[in-house]
Amino acid sequence: MSTSTAVQTSTITGEVGDDRVLVLTIDDPTQATNTMNDAFGQSLASTIDWLEAHRDDFDGVIVTSGKDSFFSGGDLELLRDAGPNDHATISGALDFTKDKFRRLERLGKPVVAALGGTALGGGYEIALACHYRIALDKKSSRFGLPEVTLGLLPGAGGVTRTVRMFGVVEALTRVVGQGQRYRPAQALEFGLVDEVVDTEEAMMAAARAWIAAHPDAAQPWDRDGFEIPGGTAASPGLADRLPALTAAASVRTPVKGAPMPAPLAVIAAAVEGSVLDFDSASLVETGHCTSLACGPVSGNLIQSMFFDLGSINKGVSRPPAEPQRVPEKVLVIGAGMMGAAIAYVVASAKVPVVLRDVSIESAERGKDYARSILGKSVAKGRTTQEAADAVLSLITASADAADTEGCDLVVEAVFEDPAVKQSAFEAVDKYLTADALLCSNTSTLPITALAQGVSRRSDFVGTHFFSPVDKMPLVEIVVGEHTSDSALARAFDFVRLIGKTPIVVGDSHGFFTTRVIGRFMDEAISMVAEGVHPSTVEQAALHAGYPSGALALMDEISLTLSRHIREGMAEAARADGREWIDSKSYALVDRMVDEFERPGRKSGRGFYDYAEDGSKAGLWPGLVEHYLRADHGIPFEDMMDRMLIAQSLDSIACLDEGVLRTVADANIGSIMGIGYPAWTGGVLQFVNQFDGGLSGFVDRAEELRARYGDRFIVPSSLRSRTERYL
């Protein structure tokens, strides 16, 4: 087929073939993926101008990509750095792009998006401005509008168009309100794409065929008589459902008294826009998106959940010279809740795994964990029985050490006792491959000391999983004194293989996550000891954005275990010559355990009372009886800041001591592992956002020190910085 060049810009080129179909290819030569940068904006404007001027030269348009993915989205560096003075810049950029998309869909010619790879955010908004969407069935492809997870909303027409495609409720629940990302088959099922094909050739052929069959294509909302599916916000049936959506979006993650803004803003844009014409709704969408982009939360989330997370997943903490290597056969020692769940996620990654315990009955009970999860997935239609059976077939329950023959990676997940852990490795050592990676799942015990009990210390590394393993996305990799780069790289690759995010930390008692989450609970319990009503302390934690109150969390961990961890960390600090500052929480916890016999949820008695089914029956009244003081004098804002700032200060200490290696690990580890409020961008990103920058944080910490003690001492390493903690 002969072609003639029609469009030639820096990022978009176009050719018209003999069939009079114009193929526009987006391919930014300066980037690995296409994004909405300045070059794309200029190219888009020139391309739309050409299309309108040459309508008679073609019968339809196919929009595709020269990259492995279709298009990644907006310029996140610009959005991350936007502030209160950038409203005109952001709104102007959004309206500029939306104008071009609007002109594309009203061109008077059929326009098809040929999605050869991932189209998320702005990339999917390009596809929405086309009349038909065809996706290549590629395993790695994802489609959707995830902006809300970055504190934004789809501001290039995503809210306005999906509301008109799916209706207000469906758009909010399936596309824009929660930021879901869909695989090709799911995208087809939910209507995000119109067709899925197996090859690029089939994709282009299908696009040409659709153009030929729909010469008068137009968007539904541009046709006479169009009505939004399910009605507008003014429709009685829909109006009754909106309060529940709004309440759900308001439940969690407040920002100093205001709810997390993006979920509410996306609802507002959808609801307000539904009663307006398309162009007016688009302006409303721009206003809400601009307000989010110029506020602090979106910048924090973009920094952590895009830049920091991307840095980690690209291997910033992985030794670069080490070759990629994944296990062929994994051994999990210990079939309790943790070990059973680890075995399940390993098998789900299609790796054979031996689940070993002291008896075959215990091992089979551990395998029941996988059976239960898979059975529920089959019942809900999320997987097939055949697929579930395939996963189960990869798990071998065993009590026989000989069954571990040939395992090249071990995850030990037994009781937190050094002797028990070392014995577990000794029992299987002779059956493993000569260079098997030895991983210990521990939340507190120093890896260097545990390594004394294994034959190959260089192959020994800590892998701290979080419960429930199948849901929690993080694994904390702990590097001991003798851990080799090869072992670290293999552990990193293993964690990525099973779909988790790895952070890499240095060895110490409690490492990073256990140590820093303890500061959250210490401050909260200290406030109870200082006379604050326990329910007020729990509300302060929730209001600050934590997913759980600290007293409830302490009950889950158990006060006895927490005390044991604290005593070990205090002993380690003194041995290292570091000052250990006591907290008022310690005496209260000791009294709860020793005098009141309330060790936590497992016993049905902790800071909360519990019903027989394990559900909370309310805070224990004895806390109020023994500790409440009307004259405690602690402002609610101080309660929130004490928890947040205490964790940030301890994280800075972790960085100074080498426990943390990167700021990215701190931010992602705190959000994904220990529930630090996501709106902050993470435990170190939080330091950046005070008025006056770092000096504002230092001033606030010193206020707290003056009022509440030396736990809020600012380290000299922070004072030496001038602008941002990045």
Side-chain angles (χ1 to χ4, degrees):
M1 178 181 296
S2 65
T3 61
S4 61
T5 300
V7 177
Q8 186 70 48
T9 72
S10 63
T11 68
I12 303 174
T13 58
E15 296 179 333
V16 179
D18 289 344
D19 58 359
R20 289 180 54 82
V21 171
L22 169 61
V23 179
L24 291 177
T25 302
I26 308 171
D27 193 355
D28 188 337
T30 68
Q31 299 192 124
T33 58
N34 295 314
T35 60
M36 287 184 180
N37 53 21
D38 287 341
F40 172 75
Q42 294 169 13
S43 296
L44 179 64
S46 297
T47 299
I48 299 300
D49 287 344
W50 190 97
L51 292 175
E52 291 176 339
H54 296 82
R55 282 188 179 91
D56 294 338
D57 294 347
F58 56 90
D59 294 334
V61 180
I62 300 173
V63 182
T64 190
S65 170
K67 309 290 188 185
D68 289 338
S69 63
F70 176 72
F71 201 102
S72 292
D75 184 347
L76 289 180
E77 288 190 11
L78 172 67
L79 293 169
R80 177 194 63 190
D81 297 336
N85 297 324
D86 296 314
H87 277 257
T89 299
I90 299 299
S91 62
L94 290 172
D95 286 341
F96 173 89
T97 302
K98 292 161 90 162
D99 170 70
K100 307 305 174 286
F101 290 174
R102 189 72 174 125
R103 287 161 63 187
L104 177 66
E105 69 183 358
R106 302 186 74 179
L107 188 62
K109 304 284 183 172
V111 183
V112 177
L115 308 174
T118 290
L120 292 172
Y124 183 65
E125 286 178 300
I126 294 172
L128 287 175
C130 300
H131 303 116
Y132 196 72
R133 288 158 288 280
I134 304 172
L136 181 63
D137 193 9
K138 188 187 295 185
K139 183 179 180 181
S140 61
S141 290
R142 299 292 184 273
F143 305 100
L145 297 167
E147 284 88 343
V148 72
T149 65
L150 298 178
L152 298 166
L153 60 76
V159 176
T160 304
R161 288 188 174 87
T162 55
V163 163
R164 282 154 179 77
M165 288 171 62
F166 305 114
V168 174
V169 173
E170 288 298 301
L172 288 172
T173 56
R174 287 195 168 186
V175 191
V176 295
Q178 299 175 38
Q180 298 98 320
R181 303 170 185 228
Y182 294 110
R183 294 181 175 86
Q186 295 172 313
L188 178 64
E189 178 185 353
F190 295 148
L192 275 71
V193 300
D194 301 295
E195 195 171 340
V196 174
V197 297
D198 293 330
T199 66
E200 289 191 21
E201 293 76 12
M203 179 175 68
M204 298 304 288
R208 294 177 189 279
W210 194 88
I211 287 171
H214 300 84
D216 299 321
Q219 297 286 32
W221 45 89
D222 288 324
R223 296 186 182 277
D224 292 340
F226 170 76
E227 293 184 358
I228 292 177
T232 72
S235 305
L238 178 57
D240 292 341
R241 301 182 64 183
L242 294 178
L245 288 173
T246 303
S250 305
V251 167
R252 207 50 101 221
T253 330
V255 183
K256 293 295 182 71
M260 185 75 123
L264 291 171
V266 89
I267 291 174
V271 170
E272 293 167 22
S274 72
V275 297
L276 301 172
D277 62 84
F278 185 95
D279 293 330
S280 298
S282 185
L283 292 175
V284 168
E285 177 190 276
T286 294
H288 284 293
C289 188
T290 299
S291 294
L292 292 173
C294 295
V297 176
S298 64
N300 293 335
L301 288 171
I302 291 168
Q303 176 60 45
S304 61
M305 304 313 293
F306 184 82
F307 289 105
D308 287 345
L309 184 58
S311 172
I312 288 171
N313 287 335
K314 289 175 184 174
V316 67
S317 297
R318 184 191 186 279
E322 296 297 327
Q324 195 89 8
R325 181 175 171 184
V326 295
E328 296 182 4
K329 183 180 179 183
V330 171
L331 166 63
V332 176
I333 305 176
M337 182 179 295
M338 183 66 73
I342 294 171
Y344 165 70
V345 298
V346 171
S348 296
K350 301 182 179 179
V351 179
V353 55
V354 176
L355 179 59
R356 182 170 189 263
D357 212 305
V358 293
S359 70
I360 188 63
E361 292 79 13
S362 296
E364 285 291 348
R365 280 196 298 272
K367 188 172 180 178
D368 284 342
Y369 185 89
R371 293 189 182 101
S372 175
I373 291 178
L374 291 166
K376 292 175 183 176
S377 293
V378 171
K380 294 178 179 179
R382 295 174 181 168
T383 190
T384 64
Q385 187 62 54
E386 181 181 15
D389 290 343
V391 172
L392 285 172
S393 71
L394 292 171
I395 303 174
T396 301
S398 174
D400 187 350
D403 287 339
T404 69
E405 182 78 41
C407 288
D408 58 350
L409 188 148
V410 181
V411 181
E412 163 272 306
V414 300
F415 182 68
E416 287 278 89
D417 179 279
V420 175
K421 289 179 177 290
Q422 290 167 359
S423 175
F425 282 108
E426 289 172 0
V428 299
D429 185 65
K430 68 179 180 180
Y431 298 103
L432 308 175
T433 61
D435 64 346
L437 181 65
L438 310 174
C439 305
S440 178
N441 176 62
T442 175
S443 61
T444 60
L445 299 176
I447 292 301
T448 301
L450 288 179
Q452 306 303 316
V454 301
S455 58
R456 292 174 287 108
R457 298 179 190 176
S458 63
D459 290 328
F460 193 81
V461 66
T463 49
H464 175 202
F465 287 81
F466 295 79
S467 185
V469 173
D470 48 295
K471 294 179 180 177
M472 292 294 283
L474 193 79
V475 175
E476 186 177 33
I477 299 176
V478 187
V479 178
E481 182 179 335
H482 304 290
T483 303
S484 66
D485 280 355
S486 173
L488 170 56
R490 290 173 63 190
F492 192 98
D493 295 342
F494 167 62
V495 171
R496 295 292 293 134
L497 174 69
I498 61 175
K500 305 296 183 184
T501 296
I503 63 168
V504 178
V505 303
D507 196 18
S508 71
H509 204 102
F511 319 128
F512 163 58
T513 54
T514 301
R515 169 175 165 174
V516 172
I517 200 173
R519 292 299 302 273
F520 165 55
M521 294 184 291
D522 282 350
E523 281 309 309
I525 298 167
S526 290
M527 287 185 275
V528 175
E530 292 164 30
V532 181
H533 197 293
S535 65
T536 302
V537 172
E538 294 291 77
Q539 284 303 310
L542 296 174
H543 205 68
Y546 291 94
S548 166
L551 306 182
L553 179 62
M554 178 67 92
D555 275 0
E556 291 289 338
I557 294 172
S558 100
L559 282 72
T560 333
L561 176 59
S562 178
R563 179 168 68 173
H564 177 70
I565 293 171
R566 176 237 301 170
E567 291 170 345
M569 291 175 64
E571 182 180 349
R574 295 181 183 115
D576 293 341
R578 291 183 284 114
E579 183 180 8
W580 180 260
I581 300 172
D582 282 338
S583 161
K584 293 180 181 178
S585 69
Y586 302 159
L588 193 157
V589 169
D590 292 345
R591 193 179 183 194
M592 288 287 289
V593 174
D594 299 330
E595 179 181 342
F596 301 133
E597 298 182 345
R598 301 187 67 86
R601 181 175 180 175
K602 192 172 182 180
S603 69
R605 295 162 49 85
F607 288 113
Y608 285 82
D609 286 320
Y610 295 90
E612 289 186 6
D613 62 0
S615 62
K616 292 191 192 79
L619 282 157
W620 176 51
L623 288 173
V624 172
E625 176 187 345
H626 293 286
Y627 290 101
L628 182 64
R629 285 177 42 206
D631 62 347
H632 61 73
I634 303 175
F636 194 73
E637 184 171 4
D638 282 10
M639 296 179 199
M640 294 188 290
D641 278 354
R642 281 177 63 172
M643 293 181 271
L644 293 165
I645 290 176
Q647 289 188 278
S648 289
L649 289 170
D650 204 32
S651 298
I652 293 166
C654 286
L655 204 59
D656 291 344
E657 296 162 19
V659 175
L660 280 169
R661 295 184 170 193
T662 70
V663 171
D665 282 337
N667 287 334
I668 294 303
S670 65
I671 292 173
M672 289 188 170
I674 57 176
Y676 196 77
W679 68 266
T680 66
V683 74
L684 292 182
Q685 177 65 14
F686 176 67
V687 176
N688 295 323
Q689 56 202 269
F690 282 69
D691 290 341
L694 290 186
S695 63
F697 175 85
V698 170
D699 290 345
R700 182 62 172 136
E702 296 209 335
E703 287 179 8
L704 296 180
R705 180 188 179 188
R707 294 176 189 172
Y708 307 111
D710 286 347
R711 295 188 310 284
F712 297 97
I713 290 176
V714 177
S716 58
S717 63
L718 181 60
R719 293 181 186 277
S720 66
R721 296 174 182 265
T722 57
E723 294 182 1
R724 293 176 64 82
Y725 209 100
L726 294 177

